[in-house]
Amino acid sequence: MGTFDLSGIGMTSQRTRDRLVKRLADNGIDHDEVLTAVASVPRHIFIDEALAHRAYEDTALPIGHGQTISQPFIVALMTQSLLNRPRPRVLEVGTGSGYQTAVLASLPMLVEKVYTIERIDLLIERAQERLRAMRCGNVRFKHGDGYQGWPKESPFDGILVTAAPRSVPDALLDQLAMGGRMVVPVGDGSVQELKVYDRNRAGFDVETVEYVRFVPLLKGVR
Ligand code: SAH
C-alpha cells in the first residue's frame, strides 16, 4: 500500500475533522495553534482502511503489532502541555502510526524540527510513508530504542514520550536543554501519571497533569 486518500470525501472530510476539534475545545484544549494543527492533519491516513471510518472519533485505535494510535484528546493535551512556549527542536519517543509526529510537525511557528524514534521497524517505515504523502519535510526518523534517546541530535527543547516507562530514563533527562520541557506518562500499572518535567538550573520541576493509559515503553528494537 503506497497511496493514501487525501481527497477529503465522506468520513475523511474537513467537516468531520472540525467536529473533532470542537469536541477537543469543549473538553478543555485551549491552545489555538494545537487545535489548528489537529484540524489540518488527516488522521484517517494513519489508520488501517478497515478502521478509517472511525478516525475522527475521540478514541485510541489499534495500529497492529499490539500498539495503538493515541486518542486525539491525549495527543492534543500532550502537545499543548509541551508548547507553553516555542520548542524549536522536539524529540518524540514512540512514533507508532506517526499521527502525533504529524501534529507536532504541523506547528510551524512553535516547532521547527521533529526527531522521532520507534522500536518496531514496520511501524516506522509506514509512518515515514504517511508523512511523505503529507509532504511533511521537517521530520527525521530513527529506528531504535527510545530509552537511549538521540544523543547525536541532543539537546532538545522539548521531549514527548508516547509510551510509558516505569520511571523516566536518565538518558532522556540528560538530553533536555536548559529551559526544556518533557511530557511523559510514568508508571507500570494500567493507569499512569502524565508528567511534565521542566529543566532549570537547579534541576527539574515536576508536575502531574492527567491520568492516562499508554502501552509500556519497552527495551530493545524489533
Ligand atoms: N504517538 C503514537 C502512539 C504510538 S503507541 C501515535 O500517535 O500513533 C507507542 C509507541 O511506542 C508504539 O509504537 C511502540 O512500539 C513504541 N515504543 C515502545 N517502546 C519504545 C522504545 N523503547 N523506543 C521507541 N519506541 C517505543
Side-chain angles (χ1 to χ4, degrees):
M1 266 205 293
T3 57
F4 302 101
D5 177 14
L6 290 162
S7 63
I9 37 164
M11 289 310 286
T12 67
S13 76
Q14 188 60 51
R15 254 195 329 178
T16 324
R17 211 139 64 219
D18 290 344
R19 268 203 297 277
L20 170 64
V21 168
K22 182 171 184 309
R23 183 181 162 133
L24 299 181
D26 289 344
N27 289 331
I29 304 299
D30 56 8
H31 192 301
D32 286 341
E33 290 94 334
V34 171
L35 291 170
T36 302
V38 172
S40 77
V41 176
R43 189 168 183 257
H44 62 277
I45 72 166
F46 294 86
I47 295 168
D48 283 344
E49 247 167 271
L51 285 170
H53 64 287
R54 300 187 57 194
Y56 300 103
E57 293 175 19
D58 188 20
T59 175
L61 293 166
I63 54 172
H65 312 276
Q67 308 302 323
T68 55
I69 180 172
S70 307
Q71 180 192 351
F73 175 77
I74 296 297
V75 171
L77 179 68
M78 290 177 85
T79 310
Q80 93 168 8
S81 301
L82 188 72
L83 297 178
N84 63 325
R85 66 164 82 150
R87 305 277 175 199
R89 291 163 50 80
V90 172
L91 173 68
E92 179 194 30
V93 175
T95 317
S97 67
Y99 176 67
Q100 169 78 73
T101 322
V103 170
L104 285 168
S106 303
L107 288 150
M109 306 307 289
L110 300 172
V111 176
E112 280 166 24
K113 191 138 190 180
V114 182
Y115 298 83
T116 187
I117 307 178
E118 168 59 54
R119 66 183 286 275
I120 301 178
D121 56 356
L122 292 172
L123 286 179
I124 198 160
E125 281 169 22
R126 195 96 175 93
Q128 212 162 346
E129 286 172 20
R130 291 170 174 134
L131 280 133
R132 207 180 299 131
M134 277 182 63
R135 305 195 196 294
C136 261
N138 55 339
V139 181
R140 286 195 54 202
F141 297 84
K142 182 186 172 94
H143 177 225
D145 181 354
Y147 271 99
Q148 315 302 321
W150 198 328
K152 261 188 156 164
E153 295 295 349
S154 71
F156 298 98
D157 307 302
I159 299 181
L160 195 155
V161 185
T162 74
R166 296 167 75 118
S167 62
V168 179
D170 285 339
L172 296 182
L173 290 171
D174 288 345
Q175 290 172 35
L176 206 51
M178 194 57 65
R181 172 173 274 204
M182 173 162 22
V183 178
V184 53
V186 184
D188 56 3
S190 62
V191 175
Q192 306 107 24
E193 291 182 66
L194 184 63
K195 294 191 174 209
V196 170
Y197 282 71
D198 281 307
R199 185 165 206 168
N200 54 43
R201 304 217 171 268
F204 294 91
D205 283 337
V206 189
E207 217 186 304
T208 297
V209 294
E210 182 63 278
Y211 291 86
V212 290
R213 278 168 203 275
F214 276 89
V215 296
L217 192 71
L218 300 173
K219 295 220 162 117
V221 295
R222 253 181 49 190

